[in-house]
Amino acid sequence: MKGVLLTGLVFSIMFLDQTHEFWLQPKKYRYHLGEQVMIDIMVGDAFTGEFWDLNRNKPVRAELHRVSGSSELKRDIIIRKGNNLSLKADQEG
């Protein structure tokens, strides 16, 4: 019984250790109208990470949602290290 519980505990810890986060990281956070917004797709833990390997793990869907509607961004993703997504700022902020 102890062996089963210990094995379950070890596998639980191993599973929790494999978790990671994905996030979009712009080069800066304030843009002027018409300026190019360069975004990195990152993976890691506690916002300490590295570029996501888009050659091995491709995104299934990427969308930009706003009050005025949503737009598909998947076709705009560039598979390389960093600068994976480039958008033109259509409003300041």
Side-chain angles (χ1 to χ4, degrees):
M1 182 67 177
K2 285 183 180 179
V4 172
L5 289 175
L6 183 60
T7 302
L9 179 64
V10 168
F11 280 118
S12 296
I13 291 171
M14 287 173 47
F15 174 75
L16 291 174
D17 189 43
Q18 297 297 320
T19 60
H20 47 273
E21 302 159 346
F22 295 92
W23 68 93
L24 302 176
Q25 184 169 316
K27 298 297 181 190
K28 61 181 188 174
Y29 293 94
R30 296 254 181 215
Y31 290 90
H32 298 288
L33 188 63
E35 194 174 357
Q36 283 298 117
V37 179
M38 300 301 292
I39 299 171
D40 298 332
I41 302 175
M42 306 292 288
V43 61
D45 186 35
F47 294 106
T48 302
E50 56 193 31
F51 298 119
W52 186 16
D53 184 4
L54 294 170
N55 286 314
R56 199 174 81 185
N57 303 303
K58 294 182 176 38
V60 175
R61 188 171 70 197
E63 299 173 340
L64 175 63
H65 292 268
R66 297 181 176 186
V67 174
S68 60
S70 64
S71 58
E72 175 63 41
L73 296 177
K74 184 178 175 185
R75 68 182 186 284
D76 298 326
I77 294 176
I78 302 167
I79 298 176
R80 64 180 173 201
K81 273 193 165 185
N83 295 332
N84 303 110
L85 188 58
S86 176
L87 304 170
K88 186 170 277 197
D90 59 359
Q91 60 186 17
E92 288 189 7

